[in-house]
Amino acid sequence: MDDTQQAFLNMLLKVQDHLEDNSVAYSDHAQIAPAKALLDAEIQSIIEAAGRATEDTTGVTEDKEQDRTELEQIMFKVTRAVWSYATDNSDNKLAKKVKYTASELEKMQDTELHFKALRLVALIDPVIAAALVNYRITAGDLTTLNTAISNYFAAIPEPKDAIEDKTTAGSEVDRHINTSRKILEKLDGYVDSYRYDSATISLWENYQLARAIDDNPSGGGADVYEDTANPMSTEKIMEELTYNAATPVNFENLGMVTLQFALSNNGMPTGNWVSVNPGTSQETAMGAMAPSATDMVVQNNSGTPCAYRVTIG
């Protein structure tokens, strides 16, 4: 949640507390209790959605990386055995198809690694499978390879799904806030009936105090960073960043090439990159980018300089 959303939620909680403390005094107005029940539900929904929007999803990424490592390791073992078998039998065509170094496997894109693994399995016919026993590859190794392929295929979209869920949760916060505004408008009208009654004027006044949105205690104000990203470079946007998972970030691409933005620790990118196309902007929150950071970087993979603007807060 950003500061404005948090301030609005704080106001809702004050109204909720006021209505609960004065439920007996309001009991002569039949519409207030049902309206409060609706408001209670919206407050709970806001809190739950905000929790999902700032949830630390690094565990999902770590699980995916573990599945990838397991696939790389068993794939390397099997490919080296198949390559050795092909070389010993002068099958140059097969040898070329399965000749991968460990570093080559590590550098492959997610979908490429998955495809190459499937292709490897397809190349191992019953004759080759039987011959691989002489190269320390058992039936269990081949089963492990197939299991690793399945696990990794299932894990590939998980980090992206987690990020999308956080983004969706952030939108839910806005929707529930908008719904709560409509409920408050009705409550304002209901409580106005107590305004000019000398016995209940203080009740109305206390409600108005609860309805006031307190100023942001941090002092507010967004930080804006505007510069040009040099060609073929990754550069720090600022030297020091105050990290807060709920802080909103808006990236604006003012140039003609695509830029990538990421949170970083001492200039080393961490978490998820945010890609911004030329002439467009992208809004997110720090928590959706990474669980922690000390600064932020911009990456320009093109041969053309590109201007940008980053607004934090």
Side-chain angles (χ1 to χ4, degrees):
M1 296 178 69
D2 59 31
D3 291 339
T4 300
Q5 292 171 325
Q6 185 63 59
F8 189 84
L9 175 59
N10 290 343
M11 178 271 293
L12 291 179
L13 293 173
K14 289 194 301 177
V15 171
Q16 182 185 52
D17 184 62
H18 169 79
L19 295 176
E20 288 176 353
D21 289 345
N22 297 281
S23 59
V24 175
Y26 285 122
S27 62
D28 60 344
H29 196 305
Q31 303 302 317
I32 290 181
K36 179 187 176 298
L38 294 175
L39 188 66
D40 290 345
E42 293 304 318
I43 290 172
Q44 184 62 33
S45 295
I46 290 170
I47 293 173
E48 290 176 355
R52 297 202 312 278
T54 57
E55 183 179 6
D56 184 355
T57 58
T58 54
V60 175
T61 302
E62 291 170 357
D63 289 344
K64 174 194 166 186
E65 290 305 313
Q66 180 178 340
D67 288 333
R68 178 177 177 122
T69 298
E70 291 174 358
L71 176 57
E72 288 174 359
Q73 290 176 351
I74 186 61
M75 188 176 171
F76 179 76
K77 181 180 180 181
V78 174
T79 56
R80 297 307 293 165
V82 176
W83 179 83
S84 296
Y85 162 82
T87 301
D88 290 346
N89 289 274
S90 300
D91 190 340
N92 295 327
K93 184 177 179 180
L94 176 60
K96 185 176 180 180
K97 289 180 179 179
V98 297
K99 189 176 181 181
Y100 301 119
T101 65
S103 61
E104 285 175 335
L105 294 175
E106 292 173 359
K107 293 176 182 178
M108 286 181 184
Q109 296 291 329
D110 291 341
T111 52
E112 181 185 11
L113 178 67
H114 179 251
F115 169 75
K116 297 292 188 184
L118 289 174
R119 188 182 183 198
L120 173 62
V121 170
L123 291 171
I124 302 174
D125 60 27
V127 173
I128 295 175
L132 289 180
V133 175
N134 297 321
Y135 296 86
R136 294 192 68 248
I137 298 298
T138 66
D141 289 322
L142 298 180
T143 299
T144 298
L145 174 60
N146 280 291
T147 300
I149 292 172
S150 298
N151 290 344
Y152 185 57
F153 178 71
I156 288 175
E158 289 298 326
K160 181 174 180 291
D161 291 345
I163 294 170
E164 290 175 349
D165 183 60
K166 292 174 70 171
T167 302
T168 300
S171 298
E172 286 181 22
V173 171
D174 290 329
R175 286 198 297 272
H176 288 298
I177 283 179
N178 288 335
T179 301
S180 67
R181 290 184 194 278
K182 296 176 182 178
I183 298 172
L184 285 174
E185 289 176 3
K186 291 187 176 183
L187 279 168
D188 291 347
Y190 300 155
V191 177
D192 275 345
S193 67
Y194 296 88
R195 181 172 184 176
Y196 293 114
D197 187 329
S198 60
T200 58
I201 180 62
S202 62
L203 190 63
W204 179 86
E205 291 173 342
N206 287 331
Y207 176 81
Q208 303 309 312
L209 291 174
R211 280 285 279 116
I213 297 179
D214 297 331
D215 291 335
N216 177 16
S218 66
D223 294 324
V224 180
Y225 302 88
E226 191 167 350
D227 206 339
T228 298
N230 293 315
M232 305 302 294
S233 68
T234 299
E235 306 168 341
K236 278 189 181 182
I237 295 174
M238 80 285 291
E239 286 300 322
E240 185 175 351
L241 174 76
T242 300
Y243 180 88
N244 186 321
T247 299
V249 185
N250 184 47
F251 299 104
E252 297 177 76
N253 186 330
L254 307 177
M256 301 300 294
V257 298
T258 299
L259 293 177
Q260 307 277 345
F261 298 89
L263 292 178
S264 59
N265 290 305
N266 298 317
M268 297 297 294
T270 182
N272 305 294
W273 287 92
V274 176
S275 179
V276 186
N277 293 325
T280 67
S281 63
Q282 184 75 31
E283 293 186 8
T284 184
M286 288 187 185
M289 297 178 68
S292 64
T294 60
D295 42 68
M296 183 182 292
V297 295
V298 57
Q299 186 177 85
N300 181 359
N301 293 321
S302 77
T304 304
C306 186
Y308 65 87
R309 182 187 298 119
V310 177
T311 303
I312 301 176

